[in-house]
Amino acid sequence: MSVVLMPILVLAVAGLLFGLLLAVASKLFKVEGNPLEASIDQLLPQTQCGQCGFPGCKPYAHAVVSGEADVNHCVPGGERVMLQIADLMGVEPKAIEEEPSAPMVAFIREDECIGCTLCIKACPVDAIVGAPKQYHVVIAEDCTGCTLCVEPCPVDCIDMLQTPELLEHWSWPLPGTARAELAHERKYGHA
Amino acid sequence: MEDYLLILVSVVLVNNFVLAKFLGICPFLGVSAKTETAIGMAFAVMFVMTLASVSTWMVQHWLLQPLGLEYLQTVFFILVIASLVQLVEMVMHKTAPLLHQALGVFLPLITTNCAVLGVALLNVQKELDLFEAALYGLGAAVGFSIVLITFSGLRERLDGAPVPAAFKGSPITLITAGMMSLAFLGFSGLVKG
């Protein structure tokens, strides 16, 4: 009988002991991250789009907690996320930055570009190519339309253009947006 | 002293874990794309293998052998190694955050890697004493690290090399690994065992 019982007992006791050891250790050596930062990060949509101007959702959560950024920069999260973050941070809700009704891309007027590379540095998704004193070009496919490059341009040669609605990147419009209303109008005429 | 040297040379070069015993191929191919990560992995492996050698030797000689339960080796070794590495990871996270940042990602990856378990089982098979077992574990890890870091260097160079389209990516990686293994065959006459 002990031939069977002994190994079971030894293994069970050893497993229990190691389990207890780990359980105690996990309490003892717990590392405190900022719980507020973690819960804000959880609210964010985790698309890592960079439209808030930070390199991802976690950095944005960090910036909100440390007071470097306002609560209203998350474009994909929209008003709902902004309200939740404002609630968590205990600050007044702020109007969300207006979402462009149609997807926009940046366009550089090449004959005016002086090749200063400032917009290249500003682009969060590396969608602008160019070299010093050569004019720069926006890679339209990679451009998220965040408008971050417009501000730093010293000669104001960057336009935000509406992308033509092509079949290969068409998607269903989100309900309640201007685009959805436009589609409804086109289909059913004016109500 | 000569014995110890012999163990070290034998396990680092002649019976290299990756290229002669074919253990730990997964991290060898998986983490060798960049030299930087390969070095991080190498240090993590050194740490875990030495720790595993010592702890499993103790379990084997002080628990399993007296009770006549040697056949439980595999299960017990996995249990001991996995718990210890987890424990060390937690302690490290608390006390040495910088070290944890460098090794942390790799530690859970290799807890019950076949090379780590292989070291533990070979220690028993070879009937080494505690110090020899620790040395054997460290040597195995050093051998693994040398191969891993050299291989990652080779792969980084291959990225820029004009490889024919059919051989790009995995095929050329596997061919390179095979050639390295052939090259390490050259050590096989160096030490017996």
Side-chain angles (χ1 to χ4, degrees):
Chain A
M1 199 56 196
S2 76
V3 179
V4 183
L5 276 183
M6 195 61 182
I8 295 176
L9 203 71
V10 171
L11 201 57
V13 169
L16 205 67
L17 276 180
F18 278 113
L20 275 176
L21 186 70
L22 286 183
V24 171
S26 72
K27 281 269 176 261
L28 214 60
F29 296 106
K30 191 168 185 173
V31 176
E32 298 281 342
N34 193 336
L36 193 59
E37 190 181 318
S39 44
I40 287 182
D41 186 43
Q42 229 161 28
L43 288 175
L44 295 170
Q46 302 302 326
T47 47
Q48 323 293 350
C49 64
Q51 290 186 61
C52 52
F54 294 91
C57 294
K58 186 129 195 168
Y60 177 54
H62 180 77
V64 169
V65 172
S66 57
E68 287 167 35
D70 269 332
V71 292
N72 61 344
H73 290 304
C74 184
V75 176
E79 197 180 356
R80 192 171 52 87
V81 168
M82 182 275 296
L83 285 175
Q84 283 170 325
I85 296 176
D87 188 38
L88 260 180
M89 290 291 294
V91 297
E92 284 293 306
K94 276 188 179 171
I96 199 81
E97 287 169 353
E98 194 54 49
E99 188 185 352
S101 53
M104 309 281 266
V105 287
F107 175 78
I108 297 173
R109 293 194 298 276
E110 286 169 9
D111 45 347
E112 289 170 41
C113 174
I114 55 170
C116 66
T117 74
L118 284 178
C119 57
I120 296 183
K121 284 172 198 146
C123 182
V125 291
D126 286 340
I128 303 178
V129 287
K133 304 206 171 151
Q134 313 278 325
Y135 45 60
H136 309 330
V137 175
V138 175
I139 307 167
E141 282 166 36
D142 292 330
C143 178
T144 58
C146 65
T147 73
L148 279 178
C149 53
V150 177
E151 176 89 358
C153 182
V155 292
D156 287 330
C157 71
I158 302 179
D159 292 325
M160 296 305 294
L161 300 183
Q162 198 165 337
T163 40
E165 238 178 331
L166 292 179
L167 205 55
E168 46 270 27
H169 41 74
W170 186 86
S171 61
W172 289 99
L174 293 171
T177 58
R179 221 179 123 218
E181 275 159 31
L182 193 71
H184 189 266
E185 237 169 63
R186 276 185 193 153
K187 195 167 177 188
Y188 302 106
H190 291 276
Chain B
M1 194 60 216
E2 205 177 315
D3 279 355
Y4 297 144
L5 203 67
L6 215 61
I7 288 180
L8 221 52
V9 173
S10 153
V11 75
V12 172
L13 295 176
V14 184
N15 292 315
N16 188 284
F17 262 57
V18 180
L19 297 179
K21 286 193 196 296
F22 307 117
L23 291 168
I25 300 287
C26 168
F28 174 62
L29 293 173
V31 214
S32 59
K34 272 202 229 141
T35 310
E36 207 175 297
T37 45
I39 290 172
M41 184 68 172
F43 278 105
V45 168
M46 268 188 227
F47 177 74
V48 171
M49 273 197 181
T50 316
L51 188 75
S53 298
V54 174
S55 58
T56 53
W57 190 93
M58 289 178 188
V59 169
Q60 170 73 17
H61 287 264
W62 296 342
L63 183 71
L64 294 185
Q65 266 176 12
L67 294 172
L69 296 175
E70 284 96 339
Y71 59 90
L72 282 181
Q73 265 172 10
T74 314
V75 182
F76 242 98
F77 286 3
I78 291 177
L79 178 70
V80 171
I81 297 169
S83 327
L84 267 185
V85 172
Q86 191 64 46
L87 182 69
V88 170
E89 203 227 329
M90 278 191 253
V91 175
M92 203 189 269
H93 198 171
K94 178 84 175 179
T95 54
L98 277 179
L99 193 64
H100 182 263
Q101 234 171 23
L103 295 187
V105 206
F106 304 108
L107 281 181
L109 268 180
I110 44 165
T111 37
T112 40
N113 183 277
C114 65
V116 177
L117 192 63
V119 166
L121 292 173
L122 281 170
N123 278 338
V124 175
Q125 221 176 61
K126 287 178 181 295
E127 294 173 344
L128 303 173
D129 64 37
L130 181 56
F131 183 68
E132 284 173 345
L135 204 64
Y136 191 81
L138 184 68
V142 169
F144 178 87
S145 308
I146 291 175
V147 170
L148 183 70
I149 294 171
T150 358
F151 188 58
S152 67
L154 285 176
R155 276 184 74 176
E156 276 189 352
R157 294 223 168 177
L158 275 176
D159 274 348
V163 180
F167 289 106
K168 275 219 168 89
S170 307
I172 194 70
T173 308
L174 292 174
I175 291 171
T176 315
M179 281 179 163
M180 269 187 93
S181 180
L182 277 178
F184 264 69
L185 260 186
F187 290 118
S188 64
L190 212 57
V191 184
K192 285 208 180 83

